[in-house]
Amino acid sequence: MDIGQNVGEINMGGIGDDDLESKSFGGENQDGGSGEDDQDSNRNKARKRRYHRHTQHQIQEMETFFKECPHPDEKQRRELSRELGLEPLQIKFWFQNKRTQLKLRTENERLRAENLRYREAISNSSCPSCKGPTAGLGEMSFDEQHLRHENTRLREEIERMSALAANYAGKTMVNYNSTNCNGTEAAPVVTPSSLQLGVGADVYGGGGGGDHVSDKQVAFDVAFQAMEELTRLAQMGEPLWSQGMDPTTYVLNEEEYLRTFPTAFGLRPPVFRCEASRQTALVMISNTDLVQILMDVNQWITAFAGIISKATTLEILSEGISGDYNGALQMMSAEFQVLSPLVPTREAHFVRYCKHYGDGTWAVVDVSLDSFYPCPPVRCRRRPSGCLIQEMPNDYSKVTWIEHVEVDDRGVHNIYRPLVNSGLAFGAKRWLSTLSRHCERFANAVAENPPPTLIIGNNVIISLEGRRGMFKLAERMAISFCCGVSASTAHTWTTISGSGADDIRVMTQKSIDDPGRPPGIALSAATSFWVPVPPKTVFDLLRHQQYRNEWDILSNGGAIQQIAHIPTGQDDGNCMSLLRVNDVNGNQNNMLILQESCIDPTGSFVIYAPVDALAMDMVLGGADPDYVALLPSGFAILPDGPITGHGAIVGEAGSGGSLVTVAFQILVDSAPNAKLSIGSVATVNNLITCTVEKIKAAVGGDQYT
C-alpha cells in the first residue's frame, strides 16, 4: 500500500472564497425547468433556493472582518448584512463555511506532514530489538499491513494508559512492544513514564524540551477522565456525599471517595487539606448562556468578581465542534480570593473541558495538571470540579456545582479559619450563590420594561439607556473594589512597608491614562475585623442612608438623601442607589455617591464611590459610563462560620458574629509622578482605624436587629 496515495491527499486548491456560498430561501433545488406550464414554473422558480455567488467587494469586506472576528455575534452579523446587502443568514453561513475551510486546510497540512514523516520513517526503519532492517510495506499483503497498523495503535494506547497508571503509583512502566519486526518475541523494556520527562514545559513556562503533541494528548486524557468523574460525583449520593451542617450543601466522604476513585489524579501532598462540597440550585440563566460565561475567561471574571482575582487562558487546545463549546479544552490559570487581606489567595493551573450530552445537558470540568507536569510548587490543586447544567423551562437551568480542591491554607488568619474550614469561603454554595445573584442582576439590567425610577428632587424618570449605563458603571465600581481588597498579587498596587498597624494593608497605584480612574496617586487601605452580631445586622447598618452618619467620617455630619433607587435582585438589600450629601447648613454640593449593596446566603457587600454630579447626569442621559472616574470604597461582610440563611448559625464552628472587611481608595495627589508623603499614609490609616471603631460602637445598639 502506497501511503503517499492514501494518507492526507485532500485537495483544497479548488475551494476558494467564491465557493463559500450562501443560498436564498425557499426550496431545496437549484434553478432548472420544472416541466409544468409557465405560470406554475415561475411560481416554483420563485420558491426554489438559488445559489448566490458573492461579489468581490462582499468577499473582501467579510474577509477583512473575519481576520478580526471569526465568530461574529448576531448584532455584528446584522450590521454586516446591512452594509453588504446580504441576509443575516447568508453572513452566518459564509463565516461557518470560512471556518470549516480553514480547519480543512489545517488538517490537510497536518496529514501531509504526517505522510512525509511516515515515508521517511519507513525508508530508515530498523527493528529496535534485533537491529535488522524491517520488511518493506510493499512486501506485505494489505491484511498484514492493516493488522500491523492496528497493533501499533493498540500498543500506543496501552503505553499511554500504563504511563498514567505508573504516574499514579510512582512506579516505572512497561513498554508492551512485545514482538520484533520479524514476528519473534522480545523482552519487555522497562522505561520511566513519559509524563515525567519534561512534558509540559511549554505550559508552565519552564525550560526543557517537552513534546507539545504529547502535552496535548495528556491534557485530553486527563480531561476526559475528569469529566467522567465529575458526572459520577454529580449523580451519586450516600455514602459518597453526606449532608453538611448547612442542609443545602453536601460534603464529600474522603475515605469513600478514595475507594470509589482510587488516586486517579495523584496522591494528596502531606500538608494539604481536602475541601469538597456539592450544591444544586435552579438559576435564572439558559444552559448555553451559562456555558458561554464559563468558557469565556472575561465573562467568567465579571460574573464571579468577588471570587476570582485574576484568570488567564494560557492556551486553547480545542475550540469545540461546529462553533459551539462542545469538546472545547482550555489550559487556564486562576487565582481565587476571599475579600480580605487576612486570607491568602488560592492560585491553580488547570484544564477546563466542556461537553454537551445532547439532551440539553452540558458539563464543564476543571482539573489541575500538577500531578502530571513538572511545575513550580503550588498551594492549591483542583481535583475534578465544575458543574452539570440541565436545561429547564423559561430559560432556567438546574445547576449542580462541585468544588473539590486540595489546599495548603496555613496562612489563613485565625478569625477566618472557621469560615474557611467549613468550606463556605471557597465552596460550591458560594459559587452558586454568586452566580444566582449575578443572573438576577443581569436580568434587571437588560429588562425592557422595568418599573420607572424617579430622581427625587428633579422629578426626572431615568431612561432605559440611563438605567443600563448606571448598571454598567456600578459593575465596574464593584470589580475595582474587589481588586483593592484581597491579598492578591494580580493587580498593579504597590504595598507600602512600615505603613502603620500590622493588620492594615496599605498600597499605592499610579493612574495616568486610565479614563476610569482619576489621574494621580491613589492610596488603598484595607483591614478586617470581627464583631459579635449577625451579618444581616451589619449589612443593614452600612447600606441604609439614615445610619450613614454613624460610621462615615467623610460625610462630616451632613444629611444623606437617597435620590434614586434601582432594584438589582429579589432581596430588598440587592439594589443600586444614588445619594446626595448635604452639608450641615443644608447646602448641596456637586458630588453624588453611587452605591450598590448586595446580599446572598454566603455574604454581603456595600460598595460606593463619589461621582461628579455632571458626569452622573451624562450617564443617565445615555453617555458611555466607562469614562466616569471612580475610586470605590466599601465593605465585605461574611459570617464567622457555617450559615443556613442571612445570619442563622448552625453547629459550633461560628459564634454568630460577622467578619467585616473595610477598604478605602483615596486620591492623595493629582500628579502621578509626585512622591507619596508620610502624612498621607498616616491620614488614611487614621481614617480606616476611626471607621472600624465607629462601626464597632454602632453595632452595639439594637436598632438594626
Side-chain angles (χ1 to χ4, degrees):
M1 179 174 61
D2 187 352
I3 295 180
Q5 297 297 321
N6 290 279
V7 179
E9 296 297 328
I10 303 174
N11 183 8
M12 295 295 298
I15 299 181
D17 293 325
D18 288 345
D19 295 317
L20 296 175
E21 297 170 335
S22 55
K23 300 177 182 180
S24 59
F25 316 106
E28 293 292 331
N29 304 319
Q30 302 181 35
D31 289 339
S34 63
E36 299 177 2
D37 56 48
D38 291 342
Q39 183 177 2
D40 291 340
S41 177
N42 291 336
R43 196 162 46 241
N44 288 337
K45 287 181 179 180
R47 291 196 301 264
K48 289 179 181 178
R49 182 176 297 173
R50 296 174 174 85
Y51 283 107
H52 173 79
R53 191 171 295 276
H54 303 313
T55 67
Q56 190 62 33
H57 170 72
Q58 290 170 335
I59 293 173
Q60 184 177 358
E61 291 296 318
M62 288 189 287
E63 284 280 2
T64 302
F65 194 91
F66 184 87
K67 292 177 182 178
E68 299 293 333
C69 179
H71 293 271
D73 57 27
E74 184 178 354
K75 179 180 178 182
Q76 292 169 320
R77 292 197 297 268
R78 286 200 302 267
E79 292 176 354
L80 276 175
S81 69
R82 286 195 296 269
E83 294 175 2
L84 302 179
L86 297 173
E87 294 289 339
L89 277 180
Q90 291 177 295
I91 300 290
K92 179 179 180 180
F93 292 151
W94 188 92
F95 275 85
Q96 286 178 345
N97 291 339
K98 183 68 176 178
R99 292 193 295 267
T100 302
Q101 179 192 38
L102 292 180
K103 289 180 181 179
L104 288 174
R105 285 176 176 170
T106 302
E107 180 66 11
N108 185 47
E109 292 172 0
R110 185 189 68 79
L111 290 173
R112 287 180 183 275
E114 187 176 355
N115 189 11
L116 292 175
R117 290 198 302 271
Y118 286 160
R119 288 182 177 181
E120 183 179 356
I122 290 171
S123 63
N124 300 318
S125 62
S126 62
C127 176
S129 298
C130 66
K131 306 302 180 181
T134 58
L137 286 179
E139 302 172 10
M140 302 180 191
S141 67
F142 177 80
D143 290 339
E144 187 177 0
Q145 294 175 34
H146 179 74
L147 287 173
R148 291 198 172 216
H149 176 73
E150 182 66 14
N151 285 342
T152 300
R153 186 190 66 79
L154 291 173
R155 280 197 301 270
E156 291 175 350
E157 181 69 18
I158 292 172
E159 288 172 3
R160 185 166 63 250
M161 298 305 296
S162 299
L164 290 173
N167 188 70
Y168 305 150
K171 300 177 182 178
T172 57
M173 57 171 271
V174 177
N175 186 340
Y176 285 88
N177 186 12
S178 56
T179 58
N180 295 327
C181 60
N182 57 10
T184 62
E185 288 191 2
V189 180
V190 180
T191 65
S193 169
S194 63
L195 296 176
Q196 300 172 356
L197 298 179
V199 176
D202 293 345
V203 175
Y204 291 102
D211 182 356
H212 190 61
V213 175
S214 300
D215 294 348
K216 292 182 65 173
Q217 185 60 55
V218 171
F220 273 102
D221 290 344
V222 174
F224 295 157
Q225 188 172 357
M227 179 63 74
E228 180 182 356
E229 178 172 316
L230 180 80
T231 54
R232 292 178 64 189
L233 287 173
Q235 298 167 3
M236 297 177 71
E238 294 184 349
L240 184 65
W241 294 99
S242 59
Q243 194 176 74
M245 290 185 291
D246 176 355
T248 66
T249 302
Y250 288 84
V251 295
L252 189 68
N253 182 326
E254 190 175 3
E255 292 183 1
E256 185 66 28
Y257 170 79
L258 293 177
R259 283 193 291 267
T260 309
F261 307 96
T263 61
F265 295 94
L267 296 174
R268 190 177 75 203
V271 298
F272 280 38
R273 181 178 63 86
C274 177
E275 188 178 291
S277 57
R278 185 184 75 182
Q279 190 176 50
T280 301
L282 199 63
V283 183
M284 188 191 302
I285 190 172
S286 69
N287 55 352
T288 54
D289 285 345
L290 180 50
V291 169
Q292 175 72 31
I293 287 176
L294 296 175
M295 300 306 293
D296 184 321
V297 68
N298 293 322
Q299 294 189 46
W300 187 48
I301 293 172
T302 299
F304 299 97
I307 302 177
I308 304 169
S309 58
K310 70 172 182 179
T312 304
T313 300
L314 301 173
E315 184 178 0
I316 297 177
L317 302 178
S318 172
E319 293 183 347
I321 304 171
S322 302
D324 63 12
Y325 288 105
N326 183 25
L329 183 68
Q330 302 175 358
M331 193 81 69
M332 303 182 70
S333 175
E335 191 176 68
F336 307 106
Q337 65 181 353
V338 170
L339 294 184
S340 169
L342 304 185
V343 181
T345 57
R346 297 178 174 182
E347 187 171 10
H349 304 281
F350 53 91
V351 288
R352 174 164 292 179
Y353 177 54
C354 179
K355 184 176 181 179
H356 184 207
Y357 286 92
D359 57 350
T361 299
W362 290 77
V364 178
V365 66
D366 297 345
V367 61
S368 290
L369 298 177
D370 308 337
S371 301
F372 307 95
Y373 292 130
C375 63
V378 295
R379 296 177 51 252
C380 179
R381 292 174 51 194
R382 291 179 71 74
R383 284 188 176 267
S385 303
C387 56
L388 199 66
I389 309 163
Q390 298 171 267
E391 183 180 24
M392 302 296 287
N394 302 320
D395 280 338
Y396 274 73
S397 295
K398 180 182 178 183
V399 182
T400 299
W401 198 289
I402 293 172
E403 198 65 18
H404 187 187
V405 300
E406 295 170 343
V407 61
D408 176 8
D409 57 6
R410 290 174 294 177
V412 175
H413 194 280
N414 286 336
I415 66 171
Y416 276 89
R417 190 163 294 281
L419 179 70
V420 172
N421 288 347
S422 71
L424 189 64
F426 293 95
K429 183 168 185 175
R430 186 179 175 211
W431 283 93
L432 261 186
S433 297
T434 302
L435 175 64
S436 296
R437 178 164 45 81
H438 170 78
C439 293
E440 284 188 8
R441 188 185 189 280
F442 180 78
N444 279 274
V446 301
E448 294 292 339
N449 298 302
T453 301
L454 182 68
I455 299 181
I456 301 172
N458 297 338
N459 292 325
V460 175
I461 295 179
I462 299 178
S463 67
L464 189 61
E465 293 77 11
R467 174 189 173 94
R468 291 179 179 175
M470 192 171 168
F471 267 92
K472 188 176 180 182
L473 184 62
E475 180 178 77
R476 179 162 62 85
M477 177 180 69
I479 293 174
S480 178
F481 170 79
C482 295
C483 291
V485 174
S486 74
S488 172
T489 58
H491 313 294
T492 55
W493 295 92
T494 302
T495 304
I496 304 173
S497 60
S499 57
D502 293 337
D503 55 351
I504 298 179
R505 181 171 179 250
V506 181
M507 303 178 295
T508 62
Q509 184 182 45
K510 294 182 180 180
S511 176
I512 300 176
D513 297 322
D514 186 352
R517 300 181 67 90
I521 299 178
L523 199 61
S524 172
T527 191
S528 298
F529 59 98
W530 177 84
V531 290
V533 292
K536 185 66 164 59
T537 300
V538 183
F539 177 67
D540 288 339
L541 163 70
L542 298 174
R543 77 180 181 94
H544 281 302
Q545 71 271 11
Q546 61 263 38
Y547 304 135
R548 194 178 189 98
N549 281 329
E550 298 194 28
W551 58 264
D552 189 358
I553 300 172
L554 299 180
S555 64
N556 294 321
I560 310 295
Q561 179 188 16
Q562 180 176 258
I563 62 174
H565 175 93
I566 299 178
T568 61
Q570 297 181 4
D571 194 289
D572 291 340
N574 293 328
C575 65
M576 290 188 303
S577 303
L578 268 183
L579 308 176
R580 176 177 286 126
V581 182
N582 302 325
D583 62 26
V584 291
N585 297 320
N587 298 322
Q588 297 179 0
N589 57 38
N590 64 345
M591 293 298 293
L592 300 175
I593 295 176
L594 174 64
Q595 175 177 295
E596 178 160 6
S597 60
C598 52
I599 187 169
D600 64 46
T602 63
S604 56
F605 310 93
V606 179
I607 305 169
Y608 62 92
V611 183
D612 182 78
L614 180 60
M616 197 69 227
D617 287 342
M618 295 176 64
V619 171
L620 296 177
D624 188 353
D626 287 341
Y627 292 92
V628 177
L630 290 175
L631 280 177
S633 301
F635 307 91
I637 307 113
L638 302 174
D640 63 357
I643 60 174
T644 56
H646 297 332
I649 300 297
V650 297
E652 299 179 354
S655 63
S658 302
L659 301 169
V660 184
T661 296
V662 54
F664 289 105
Q665 293 186 36
I666 298 175
L667 188 70
V668 294
D669 201 308
S670 58
N673 296 321
K675 293 184 178 180
L676 185 66
S677 67
I678 298 177
S680 298
V681 177
T683 299
V684 174
N685 267 330
N686 184 61
L687 172 64
I688 201 169
T689 301
C690 291
T691 301
V692 170
E693 292 176 354
K694 281 181 168 289
I695 292 173
K696 289 181 176 180
V699 296
D702 58 358
Q703 64 267 43
Y704 317 109
T705 58

